[in-house]
Amino acid sequence: VVQGANNERVEVVGTTKDSKGTTVGLVGNDAGKGSVSSDNGASVSIATGDAEVAGLSDSAKSDINDLNNGKAPSEVIPNSGLEDYASVGGTRAIVSKNAAGQDVSANVTLYVDALTGKEVAVAYYDNNTGLWVVVKNVTFNASAKTVSFAVPGSCTVQVVAK
């Protein structure tokens, strides 16, 4: 449980800390084993380490490494409209599966302890299409340090802010 600046209580599950020192966790109903239940019944978790890039192309792995090593999001994902945005922490692999173990879309809320800024967006690498997608119509709660958005299934996300 995390308490926001305005005394909001946020249930955070499956927290991870990256090499930049940023803590990220999932917000929602604890489904056990570090996962939360999405509104559509999907089990959503965060994969870390080698599992974050397992099965991805060399190009995707390179992009993820570049983001995690401090390269600007607009350089890694050109023509994305992220020119004034900076990464908030490192990437996280979101795993979203139904009861049969299939990738499914889900609404995700992340707690990001270093989240500041007036505008927040999320870039995600869609494992199914092999493309980066930028989502600017996220729901951002500055005092609780949360950002909510939809994912198409399992993907790697980078939270960005300006």
Side-chain angles (χ1 to χ4, degrees):
V1 175
V2 176
Q3 191 158 342
N6 293 330
N7 293 323
E8 305 98 327
R9 290 175 49 86
V10 180
E11 298 284 334
V12 181
V13 177
T15 58
T16 61
K17 186 175 240 177
D18 60 33
S19 62
K20 298 176 183 183
T22 304
T23 298
V24 174
L26 294 161
V27 176
N29 295 323
D30 190 344
K33 299 182 182 177
S35 66
V36 296
S37 296
S38 181
D39 52 0
N40 65 353
S43 174
V44 180
S45 60
I46 297 176
T48 58
D50 292 339
E52 181 177 4
V53 294
L56 298 181
S57 69
D58 288 342
S59 174
K61 290 177 186 177
S62 177
D63 287 350
I64 291 164
N65 286 332
D66 285 348
L67 288 166
N68 288 328
N69 289 321
K71 195 167 188 179
S74 61
E75 291 181 43
V76 177
I77 312 165
N79 305 313
S80 60
L82 296 176
E83 289 73 21
D84 296 327
Y85 288 81
S87 295
V88 181
T91 62
R92 296 298 194 282
I94 303 293
V95 179
S96 177
K97 304 275 186 186
N98 64 15
Q102 300 164 318
D103 263 9
V104 292
S105 62
N107 293 319
V108 174
T109 299
L110 294 178
Y111 164 78
V112 185
D113 73 344
L115 193 56
T116 61
K118 295 184 179 174
E119 290 184 42
V120 174
V122 172
Y124 66 78
Y125 180 81
D126 186 329
N127 294 0
N128 293 316
T129 66
L131 300 173
W132 283 97
V133 176
V134 175
V135 181
K136 290 189 176 177
N137 62 337
V138 300
T139 302
F140 169 48
N141 182 327
S143 63
K145 298 183 180 259
T146 61
V147 59
S148 302
F149 53 96
V151 296
S154 297
C155 60
T156 299
V157 301
Q158 175 66 68
V159 177
V160 296
K162 67 175 181 176

